[in-house]
Amino acid sequence: MKKIVLSLLVIAALAFAGCKEKPKTEVPQQPAGMPAQGQLPPGHPATPGADPHAGMKAQEIPAGAGQKGKVTQTMNSGGYTYVEAANDKGEKVWMALPEFKVKVGDTIEFPVAPPMVNFQSKTLNKTFDKIMFIPGIRIVK
């Protein structure tokens, strides 16, 4: 009797194991021109040596969303606009944002961000004591 029960258990276990669906190992085909899974397309910002900010546009800052200042210096280089602005107390701050049209004398509003200390711009060959990297500014009219 024990042999029959044992045989039935073995047969049931084998039948159960045979019914399990096996995992599919087939890799789906990539559409033509698409990188393989886990690879980045050429020119992707995360590709080593690529500019992570390439193609970024400055964002318009809503009214009242930051501090105000008057532009005292501005320059464009390497896809960025560097702006120095002074508040009504004469305190000056440098900021960098994606390229944006602004001129000396403009009153601007800008968001406050933690500054980078001793930032060296290779394209300007200049070191900024403190500079904020911000998404954009708003020209106050």
Side-chain angles (χ1 to χ4, degrees):
M1 181 76 169
K2 287 183 180 181
K3 285 186 177 185
I4 295 174
V5 171
L6 185 59
S7 297
L8 288 174
L9 285 175
V10 170
I11 292 171
L14 289 174
F16 180 75
C19 291
K20 274 189 178 175
E21 190 173 320
K22 299 198 191 278
K24 294 183 180 185
T25 56
E26 184 178 314
V27 177
Q29 293 291 326
Q30 292 287 335
M34 293 294 290
Q37 186 176 355
Q39 292 182 342
L40 298 172
H44 187 278
T47 303
D51 180 0
H53 302 103
M56 283 182 58
K57 299 209 183 293
Q59 297 175 9
E60 180 76 16
I61 303 303
Q67 293 185 353
K68 285 186 182 177
K70 187 167 226 126
V71 176
T72 56
Q73 293 185 61
T74 183
M75 58 196 86
N76 290 343
S77 180
Y80 288 92
T81 296
Y82 295 84
V83 178
E84 181 187 52
N87 65 17
D88 56 357
K89 296 176 187 169
E91 300 165 336
K92 294 181 179 179
V93 62
W94 275 103
M95 59 201 87
L97 59 143
E99 208 164 297
F100 189 84
K101 193 176 244 183
V102 63
K103 60 186 182 303
V104 172
D106 283 346
T107 300
I108 61 170
E109 256 186 283
F110 55 93
V112 177
M116 288 187 71
V117 178
N118 295 323
F119 173 76
Q120 183 180 11
S121 168
K122 293 176 183 168
T123 60
L124 289 174
N125 197 24
K126 176 178 173 70
T127 299
F128 295 90
D129 292 336
K130 289 183 182 178
I131 188 168
M132 295 185 302
F133 284 83
I134 59 174
I137 59 176
R138 182 174 91 72
I139 298 177
V140 179
K141 298 184 183 191

